[in-house]
Amino acid sequence: MYSGEPQTVVLEFDSTLTGVIYDRFGEGVNMMLSSEDKILATVRVQLSAIRCIFVFTHITGVGGGLMSQKNWQKIKLVRLLELLRQESDEQHPLTTNQICDYMLGIDIPCDRRVVSHDVGLLNEMGFEILETW
C-alpha cells in the first residue's frame, strides 16, 4: 500500500489543525502561513501519488468532510482502478470480497453491490475491466 519513493509533499490545512500535524510529523515539520486561516506544511512521506489524497484525512482524522461526496466517488474509482492494475490480471482476478477488504482497509466504504457498480462505471469510462461470474 505504501509503494513509491519517499517524497516531499506540501499539505494545506486550516490553522486549527496545526497541533494535529505536529502530533503526526513531529515539531520539526516546516510550516508557514498560507492565508489568514490556512497553513502550509512540508512533510516527507512514502506514498503512491493517489494515496497522497487520502493521507490528509487520516492524518487529521477529519474524514470525508474535507471533500464532497462526488470527489470521494472519484477518488474511490481511482483507488479501485489502481488496485486492479497492480494486484490482478486475467489469470489472477480479485474477488469482490478481496476488493472490499482492501477498500475498507483504506477507510473507503464498500459492499458487493458497490464494487459491481464501480466496475461498471470504470467500464463506461473506457477502462476494460472483466467481471467473472
Side-chain angles (χ1 to χ4, degrees):
M1 181 165 33
Y2 295 102
S3 61
E5 293 297 314
Q7 52 190 292
T8 301
V9 297
V10 177
L11 304 173
E12 183 176 43
F13 55 92
D14 189 275
S15 60
T16 61
L17 298 173
T18 302
V20 175
I21 299 299
Y22 279 135
D23 287 345
R24 299 291 180 171
F25 292 102
E27 292 186 15
V29 67
N30 183 18
M31 291 193 203
M32 61 187 267
L33 198 58
S34 171
S35 66
E36 186 174 311
D37 61 343
K38 300 285 184 192
I39 303 285
L40 292 175
T42 305
V43 297
R44 191 98 171 128
V45 293
Q46 183 176 348
L47 304 167
S48 67
I50 303 301
R51 182 81 175 149
C52 290
I53 297 168
F54 289 96
V55 100
F56 188 72
T57 52
H58 294 292
I59 291 167
T60 63
V62 173
L66 288 177
M67 289 186 238
S68 70
Q69 184 64 29
K70 184 177 179 181
N71 285 341
W72 274 112
Q73 175 67 14
K74 291 176 185 176
I75 292 169
K76 181 175 66 165
L77 291 173
V78 169
R79 290 299 289 168
L80 175 58
L81 184 61
E82 182 181 64
L83 171 67
L84 293 170
R85 284 187 169 169
Q86 291 178 359
E87 302 296 331
S88 71
D89 58 32
E90 289 182 26
Q91 289 77 37
H92 304 95
L94 292 174
T95 67
T96 302
N97 287 339
Q98 288 172 314
I99 293 170
C100 279
D101 288 347
Y102 174 81
M103 297 301 249
L104 291 169
I106 57 172
D107 297 327
I108 296 176
C110 184
D111 67 42
R112 291 180 51 225
R113 295 170 305 214
V114 170
V115 172
S116 179
H117 178 262
D118 291 346
V119 167
L121 288 174
L122 290 171
N123 279 319
E124 286 176 22
M125 289 184 236
F127 298 99
E128 185 181 356
I129 299 170
L130 303 176
E131 292 183 81
T132 59
W133 304 105

